[in-house]
Amino acid sequence: MTADPADDTRTRILRAALDLFAEHGYQRTSLRQIGERLRLTKTAVLYHFPAKEHLLAALVEPLVADLEALLDSAQTQPIDQARWTVLEGWVDIMLAHRRPLGMLFHDIALVGRGDTYHRLIVIAMRANDLIAGPDAGRRERVRAVQAVAACSDPIVFFTDVSDEVLRADMLDGVRRLLAPLPADAEAPLPADAAAGPYADAAAWRHATTTVPASARESPAPGIARDATPRNTSAATTPGAVGAAAHRRRRPGRPPALGREQVEAARRMHAAGTHSVDAIAAALGVSRATVYRHLTAP
């Protein structure tokens, strides 16, 4: 069966646009350049694609459709299974459309607010909800957004890394991000900590507990799928947040950290289990103080 000439021209335009967008970027590529590469007039290109945004939308459509199908499938699964179906599937889809559709996925926000753009917004919101889980708190939702970014952004920045290696690195980073915190809620508060800058026992535990090997290393396949982030940080409780904020607002130079506190701060930061804000809240100091000790030799 012979291909329709109109369809063939449309396909050639899409391929030329794909190459030029990859070489020069979406913003720096004109419809005239696309036509010249194919020895077509700009009018001929406009016949098939009335605006450059339509070209980009057509190129991104396979990526968008695959992501929508992934979320539809995950929506019917149990919570933990759905979370990892989305994360692993998201990485695989981004890699499948890696060059150059992975970059075009990020460029779509630079163009108009058409149907494709709104579909991508809905996709991102659905993915965040599935990863965070039902009744998720602020911390889980923040980590869900971070997880989606971790499954997308490296595609753009590590173009020289093979699919297999990059996939392993990306999923390892997501597992570390979503690794549960140590289950030591019953550990007693040391006597000498009461006079320190800690709001309660939970703040002390999160400031001094070493992250277990399960959070530092890639879990076994079965374990990783059962790992659910738990909102156990002292920084997420109203009392701890209020007390820490009060301490940070005291006038004068922020209090210095002791050696043990510095080591705890560095462990939490290196493990990726706490943001700088969370570390500052747990230790009762300013963000500047935390940054100063994290960057010190």
Side-chain angles (χ1 to χ4, degrees):
M1 180 176 178
T2 304
D4 187 291
D7 290 339
D8 183 63
T9 300
R10 186 178 189 276
T11 300
R12 290 172 57 219
I13 292 173
L14 285 173
R15 288 175 180 168
L18 194 66
D19 292 340
L20 287 168
F21 290 163
E23 293 172 14
H24 307 295
Y26 172 79
Q27 298 287 14
R28 293 189 296 274
T29 300
S30 67
L31 292 177
R32 186 178 301 279
Q33 287 175 293
I34 296 172
E36 289 175 350
R37 174 159 293 199
L38 299 173
R39 297 184 179 179
L40 296 173
T41 64
K42 180 179 178 180
T43 302
V45 176
L46 289 171
Y47 174 80
H48 296 279
F49 299 95
K52 194 166 67 168
E53 291 91 335
H54 294 191
L55 266 171
L56 183 57
L59 290 171
V60 176
E61 177 58 31
L63 172 64
V64 175
D66 285 351
L67 290 174
E68 288 175 333
L70 169 69
L71 297 176
D72 289 342
S73 174
Q75 198 84 43
T76 64
Q77 299 174 353
I79 297 171
D80 288 342
Q81 182 181 352
R83 175 181 296 115
W84 288 102
T85 293
V86 171
L87 292 168
E88 293 181 356
W90 195 285
V91 171
D92 290 338
I93 289 171
M94 294 300 291
L95 287 171
H97 298 281
R98 182 176 186 178
R99 191 65 177 172
L101 289 183
M103 292 185 293
L104 295 179
F105 175 72
H106 294 274
D107 285 340
I108 194 68
L110 301 176
V111 300
R113 298 295 188 262
D115 178 64
T116 301
Y117 177 85
H118 290 294
R119 286 169 66 193
L120 286 171
I121 294 298
V122 172
I123 286 171
M125 294 174 65
R126 290 179 63 192
N128 292 340
D129 288 343
L130 285 169
I131 295 169
D135 304 319
R138 170 188 51 79
R139 180 171 182 154
E140 288 81 8
R141 292 190 174 279
V142 168
R143 288 195 174 188
V145 174
Q146 291 174 315
V148 171
C151 291
S152 305
D153 291 351
I155 300 292
V156 178
F157 294 102
F158 296 92
T159 56
D160 58 338
V161 180
S162 69
D163 287 1
E164 182 179 3
V165 171
L166 189 58
R167 183 184 192 275
D169 287 347
M170 292 166 71
L171 291 176
D172 176 67
V174 172
R175 290 189 183 102
R176 291 169 183 263
L177 174 67
L178 301 181
L181 296 175
D184 58 352
E186 298 304 320
L189 177 66
D192 59 350
Y198 300 98
D200 51 24
W204 168 263
R205 283 192 296 274
H206 287 298
T208 58
T209 300
T210 301
V211 177
S214 61
R216 296 194 302 270
E217 302 172 356
S218 299
I223 297 176
R225 295 178 181 276
D226 294 333
T228 305
R230 289 178 294 171
N231 191 7
T232 57
S233 170
T236 61
T237 60
V241 170
H246 174 73
R247 287 192 297 272
R248 290 199 299 273
R249 284 195 291 267
R250 289 183 302 179
R253 178 174 177 152
L257 296 178
R259 181 176 60 82
E260 186 175 347
Q261 293 171 300
V262 172
E263 292 176 356
R266 289 177 175 173
R267 284 197 301 267
M268 289 187 285
H269 186 262
T273 57
H274 291 66
S275 66
V276 172
D277 284 334
I279 296 173
L283 300 180
V285 296
S286 68
R287 294 174 67 235
T289 299
V290 174
Y291 275 122
R292 176 158 52 86
H293 287 288
L294 290 178
T295 58

